[in-house]
Amino acid sequence: MAGDSGNSDGGSNRDEEVQIQIADSSKAATLSTHEVPIQNSPVKSWQWWLMVGVNMFFLIAGQTTSTLLGRFYYNQGGNSKWMSTFVQTAGFPVLFIALFLFRSKTSSTQTVTSSPAPTISIPKITLIYVVLGLIIAADDLMYSYGLLYLPVSTYSLICASQLAFNAVFSYFLNAQKFTPLIFNSVVLLTFSASLLGVDEDSQGITSISHGKYILGFLLTLGASATYSLILSLMQVTFEKVIKRETFSVVLNMQIYTALVATLASLVGLVASGEWMTLQGEMHAFQSGKLSYVMTLLWTAISWQVASVGVVGLIFVVSSLFSNVISTLALPIIPVFAVIFFHDKMDGVKIIAMLMAIWGFMSYGHQLYVDGKKGRKTTVSVEETS
């Protein structure tokens, strides 16, 4: 789609954004509702592949860096769960840069659909942003507790279960089919997380009790499920409420939900009384005050770099592909955790990692099969028209 240069409408300013087609779940010939192709041509240009590669790098690098910095914050004496939650979304103003750049790039691009943009109810979309933002804040808080009570390697491998949850929620909310490959992926990722849940020796943090380890495991698992639910709810919002998916629409959802989540985290920080301990926490930080500030700053920036990658992949490929790449980064983090934090990498973790990678490859192959079918459908439609 993005490569089309002609516009038969010649029309309004609202039609000067690149549109992303949302597949209609009621049509058997279309892709799954998570598949959002942006080009009709089966042969992608090198610019398209470059865009995909850059956004994949942003997502993997941002997610890996932010997770490692989050663990570093706790290791050096940080203990505020609400501060850790706050920085996960507080860097959202960085997204305005991406919004400006992409709008500048696409401002001269013609539309690929001649239908006018649907009218969006402001009260309804505001309510959706608020609800999603509050869910995101709760999700970030669960992730913060999980990262506090678990070693990074265990934490990241449990997070890989989000792909399995994504398949389940997509089945019920987005009408995605449960193929044998997806089922295989769900089973493998579930077993991978279960192995870590029952392996007491994988804790690697001597100061954390068994009870807190179990709590961290359950909260991280719950956070992974909630994250997948958020993606599916966003997809439903695009299909049923907004009814279009342009880059600016996707990015606006990221910005406004992050704004709500940041405000909710700030309220939690004040209401919990943790804000009163921040000055003492900064003075007691083992690496020094400057390191404390820079750790929080770069954690916030890293999360938003990852967000740019997420949104970019949604823009050029699909939201499902974006989630798959996010899951791909998770088995990479334990390697850095062993190097930087000396996490234990025992046999159980290695098996769990291999199972997670196998599950990812199974899911990825399903995406390849779906994409191949989608290209055949496009070619056959073009030949008959």
Side-chain angles (χ1 to χ4, degrees):
M1 276 187 204
D4 291 352
S5 58
N7 183 3
S8 59
D9 228 7
S12 64
N13 293 332
R14 290 178 302 179
D15 289 337
E16 290 186 358
E17 286 185 0
V18 177
Q19 300 285 334
I20 305 177
Q21 176 185 349
I22 299 178
D24 186 352
S25 60
S26 64
K27 297 179 182 179
T30 59
L31 299 176
S32 67
T33 54
H34 267 298
E35 290 301 312
V36 191
I38 69 160
Q39 290 189 349
N40 284 331
S41 173
V43 180
K44 310 295 185 183
S45 66
W46 69 266
Q47 293 97 332
W48 186 89
W49 285 109
L50 177 63
M51 193 68 168
V52 171
V54 169
N55 283 295
M56 286 177 61
F57 173 77
F58 281 164
L59 175 53
I60 294 174
Q63 183 170 294
T64 302
T65 303
S66 57
T67 302
L68 294 175
L69 285 174
R71 182 68 252 177
F72 178 78
Y73 166 76
Y74 287 132
N75 282 358
Q76 296 297 306
N79 194 46
S80 174
K81 277 75 69 178
W82 279 108
M83 175 55 73
S84 179
T85 302
F86 175 77
V87 297
Q88 291 183 49
T89 53
F92 73 89
V94 174
L95 296 177
F96 284 106
I97 300 176
L99 184 62
F100 172 77
L101 292 176
F102 275 85
R103 272 185 173 169
S104 298
K105 182 178 179 180
T106 60
S107 60
S108 60
T109 306
Q110 304 290 339
T111 60
V112 295
T113 176
S114 59
S115 59
T119 303
I120 302 174
S121 171
I122 299 301
K124 181 184 291 186
I125 197 65
T126 300
L127 178 62
I128 290 173
Y129 285 158
V130 170
V131 172
L132 284 175
L134 294 176
I135 296 175
I136 289 172
D139 187 46
D140 291 344
L141 183 61
M142 287 190 286
Y143 275 129
S144 296
Y145 272 98
L147 195 55
L148 174 63
Y149 293 150
L150 298 174
V152 178
S153 53
T154 304
Y155 165 86
S156 58
L157 289 173
I158 295 173
C159 286
S161 63
Q162 70 188 41
L163 198 57
F165 288 116
N166 183 82
V168 175
F169 287 125
S170 295
Y171 175 79
F172 288 105
L173 297 178
N174 308 118
Q176 178 176 302
K177 294 181 179 179
F178 233 99
T179 65
L181 285 171
I182 291 180
F183 181 76
N184 180 60
S185 176
V186 170
V187 171
L188 289 169
L189 291 168
T190 301
F191 282 158
S192 175
S194 300
L195 277 175
L196 298 172
V198 300
D199 180 35
E200 297 182 33
D201 295 332
S202 70
Q203 294 183 35
I205 305 179
T206 56
S207 60
I208 298 299
S209 65
H210 176 66
K212 288 185 176 180
Y213 174 82
I214 295 299
L215 178 61
F217 170 81
L218 293 175
L219 288 175
T220 304
L221 198 62
S224 300
T226 304
Y227 176 76
S228 298
L229 174 63
I230 290 168
L231 290 182
S232 291
L233 290 176
M234 284 183 172
Q235 192 73 23
V236 170
T237 301
F238 286 131
E239 295 168 2
K240 305 299 183 182
V241 180
I242 300 177
K243 298 180 181 178
R244 63 193 179 104
E245 194 168 346
T246 66
F247 180 80
S248 61
V249 168
V250 175
L251 197 50
N252 280 333
M253 177 171 284
Q254 287 283 111
I255 290 172
Y256 291 121
T257 55
L259 172 62
V260 174
T262 301
L263 293 176
S265 302
L266 194 59
V267 171
L269 183 65
V270 175
S272 66
E274 287 188 359
W275 68 275
M276 294 184 291
T277 66
L278 295 181
Q279 186 174 0
E281 184 177 278
M282 181 172 64
H283 287 286
F285 204 67
Q286 295 178 19
S287 301
K289 299 177 185 178
L290 179 61
S291 177
Y292 178 82
V293 174
M294 296 304 292
T295 298
L296 295 178
L297 175 63
W298 284 105
T299 300
I301 293 175
S302 297
W303 277 118
Q304 296 314 308
V305 169
S307 294
V308 170
V310 168
V311 175
L313 288 176
I314 291 174
F315 179 56
V316 298
V317 189
S318 73
S319 56
L320 178 57
F321 181 78
S322 180
N323 193 23
V324 170
I325 297 302
S326 177
T327 306
L328 172 63
L330 296 171
I332 298 174
I333 297 175
V335 178
F336 290 100
V338 172
I339 297 172
F340 294 113
F341 301 121
H342 307 293
D343 278 8
K344 290 174 59 180
M345 185 57 72
D346 55 18
V348 173
K349 280 188 181 179
I350 293 175
I351 293 174
M353 181 187 298
L354 293 175
M355 292 181 73
I357 294 173
W358 186 4
F360 163 78
M361 292 177 65
S362 180
Y363 214 137
H365 184 64
Q366 181 62 58
L367 286 181
Y368 170 77
V369 172
D370 289 342
K372 195 172 181 179
K373 289 181 180 178
R375 287 193 293 271
K376 287 182 178 179
T377 302
T378 301
V379 171
S380 62
V381 169
E382 289 178 347
E383 289 177 350
T384 56
S385 60

